Amino acid sequence: MSQLRGLTALYAQSNSFARFPAALCELTTLRVLSLSMNGMRRVPSEVARLAALQHFDLSDNCLSEVPLGVCGLSALTKLDLHSNSVAELRPEMSQLTSLAHLSLHTNCLKAVPPALGSLTRLTWASFNNNQIAEVAPELFRCARVAGLRCSAA
Amino acid sequence: MRLSAARRRCTKLVRLALHINHLTALPDEVGACEALQALSVFSNRLTALPPALGRCTALRELGLFDNALASVPAELGALTSLVELWLFKNQLRSLPAELSNMRSLRCSGLE
């Protein structure tokens, strides 16, 4: 697999990859990767090597958390995590600054945390069919972006 | 040394789905969503809506059904782009006269 140096899209949904195939982490030209409906429980942190990835579909698996490696994919514009067992969203999701489309519906979420307020390019978000009792105001507020710039006066 | 002012980036949310959850309230900050065209908060436990929701003037679809709303803020009358408003299965006894400003409304879902 790791010899497929020019591969930009891999659709491997509806298989039985209970474990994330490690070889995929070497396919650094991938822009689209679908592993939906595989019964997958975890995704290794090495997935962060897929620096060109724009659309990652991990929906309909058995993930109990947002994989940390996914939070390192700064080119990601579309992330599908719906229909898993995610109970909490990690603060590192604030690093997904290119994200425009986020699907998290049908999980076990209790809250939408302030970290998602950093996703200033988000245009489409689904959190329906969870157990959410609280949405952080930061999701809506005009986020202050630290535009700190120092220059010689 | 010169320190530039912090820039502000406003939310660009166009569609937000929060239906079928356990929400009892929406934050006032929802009013900052100037680009929001569709908001679904049906099948929650909302007892009131923030008047600031009336600032989301790009809204075209607003799903509020199956909550515990006893009233609708008059400020929603400012949502003049609204095409579909779903209000059924709440505890409403009256509606503010301002809702007649919703000139685009085709469907109120008040059955």
Side-chain angles (χ1 to χ4, degrees):
Chain A
M1 278 303 277
S2 56
Q3 291 171 31
L4 302 175
R5 295 294 183 196
L7 200 66
T8 58
L10 178 58
Y11 300 96
Q13 65 268 39
S14 303
N15 279 292
S16 304
F17 296 119
R19 283 168 177 249
F20 188 93
L24 297 186
C25 297
E26 309 305 321
L27 301 176
T28 53
T29 51
L30 277 182
R31 289 204 287 266
V32 179
L33 176 57
S34 175
L35 288 166
S36 175
M37 292 184 277
N38 270 287
M40 202 173 287
R41 293 185 181 278
R42 64 176 297 272
V43 174
S45 53
E46 290 79 10
V47 78
R49 286 189 207 148
L50 302 177
L53 203 60
Q54 293 171 5
H55 178 194
F56 199 0
D57 187 352
L58 283 166
S59 63
D60 282 289
N61 277 294
C62 303
L63 300 172
S64 55
E65 58 179 14
V66 177
L68 187 58
V70 169
C71 299
L73 297 168
S74 57
L76 217 54
T77 57
K78 185 173 180 183
L79 176 59
D80 289 304
L81 280 167
H82 66 83
S83 309
N84 276 283
S85 308
V86 179
E88 203 174 3
L89 300 180
R90 55 170 78 247
E92 291 86 350
M93 287 184 78
S94 63
Q95 298 164 22
L96 296 168
T97 50
S98 302
L99 211 58
H101 176 124
L102 175 62
S103 77
L104 276 162
H105 65 83
T106 322
N107 274 288
C108 314
L109 297 173
K110 303 278 196 297
V112 178
L116 296 204
S118 302
L119 309 183
T120 52
R121 294 194 179 158
L122 204 59
T123 58
W124 194 103
S126 70
F127 300 103
N128 51 286
N129 299 73
N130 278 283
Q131 297 142 37
I132 295 170
E134 195 173 355
V135 178
E138 285 81 357
L139 183 67
F140 308 115
R141 207 149 44 199
C142 292
R144 270 190 180 279
V145 179
L148 199 66
R149 191 180 57 192
C150 296
S151 58
Chain B
M1 298 291 280
R2 187 171 62 86
L3 206 60
S4 70
R7 288 173 296 142
R8 289 178 77 84
R9 284 190 197 160
C10 288
T11 173
K12 295 182 176 67
L13 275 173
V14 173
R15 295 189 79 89
L16 178 61
L18 282 165
H19 52 272
I20 317 179
N21 275 297
H22 299 170
L23 293 172
T24 52
L26 286 177
D28 288 343
E29 286 80 356
V30 71
C33 292
E34 292 167 355
L36 197 63
Q37 293 178 20
L39 175 64
S40 62
V41 286
F42 62 82
S43 302
N44 273 284
R45 299 164 186 175
L46 299 175
T47 53
L49 294 171
L53 189 58
R55 297 209 309 268
C56 300
T57 50
L59 268 178
R60 295 176 55 81
E61 299 166 35
L62 181 55
L64 297 169
F65 65 88
D66 190 22
N67 275 291
L69 298 173
S71 65
V72 171
E75 286 79 356
L76 295 201
L79 302 178
T80 52
S81 300
L82 210 60
V83 178
E84 296 188 9
L85 173 61
W86 300 90
L87 284 170
F88 66 90
K89 214 173 166 200
N90 275 289
Q91 290 151 31
L92 299 170
R93 300 176 70 90
S94 65
L95 286 174
E98 286 81 356
L99 293 200
S100 59
N101 297 337
M102 297 175 174
R103 299 291 181 199
S104 306
L105 204 62
R106 278 204 305 256
C107 172
S108 73
L110 255 175
E111 59 266 26

